[in-house]
Amino acid sequence: LIVSTPTGSTAYAVAAGASMIHPNVPAIMITPICPHSLSFRPIVVPAGVELKINLSPDARNTAWVSFDGRKRQEICHGDSITIITSCFPVPSICFRDPVTDWFESLATCLHWNVRKKQNCLSSEDEEF
């Protein structure tokens, strides 16, 4: 399960099937990793919601949690993790404005509207 803000862990969440959310949207993304059922889909909840993630007492094994890829911690049966957004968001610095910068960054990184230049047909190809 990936729990992230629109600016945090976005690449991991998108790779697992989540949407891209503009950084100005106050939200938390919850993205299941390799779900075994179509009923487990990525969801977005508003900032300020308190999320509580439990490891079921009936689980066959323990689980591990990692925060920003660091400090692995084992979660045992009956344990839970509570997640809330901070009241102090980290400000973003923009070159022009938040919307244009974000879309241009995505277009550049994801190669939106970019076509590979094709070679012209040769006279031999035209005969077929």
Side-chain angles (χ1 to χ4, degrees), residues 4-124:
S4 63
T5 62
T7 55
S9 302
T10 302
Y12 293 111
V14 169
S19 296
M20 291 175 273
I21 300 175
H22 190 277
N24 285 357
V25 175
I28 300 174
M29 294 188 292
I30 305 160
T31 309
I33 301 171
C34 301
H36 296 283
S37 168
L38 289 177
S39 63
F40 297 121
R41 307 301 315 151
I43 61 172
V44 177
V45 297
V49 169
E50 182 176 309
L51 298 174
K52 188 171 185 179
I53 300 170
N54 299 312
L55 181 63
S56 171
D58 299 331
R60 291 184 287 175
N61 207 341
T62 60
W64 291 85
V65 63
S66 172
F67 302 96
D68 289 331
R70 302 173 188 195
K71 298 266 187 179
R72 249 176 40 135
Q73 177 70 43
E74 187 172 18
I75 304 298
C76 297
H77 296 88
D79 285 349
S80 66
I81 299 169
T82 302
I83 300 167
I84 57 171
T85 52
S86 173
C87 342
F88 305 103
V90 176
S92 298
I93 299 172
C94 299
F95 180 68
R96 278 183 232 119
D97 66 85
V99 174
T100 304
D101 287 357
W102 188 68
F103 276 106
E104 285 182 1
S105 174
L106 287 179
T108 301
C109 292
L110 300 177
H111 304 291
W112 287 351
N113 292 326
V114 175
R115 282 187 67 179
K116 183 177 178 184
K117 186 173 179 178
Q118 298 176 349
N119 295 328
C120 296
L121 292 173
S122 67
S123 58
E124 294 174 1

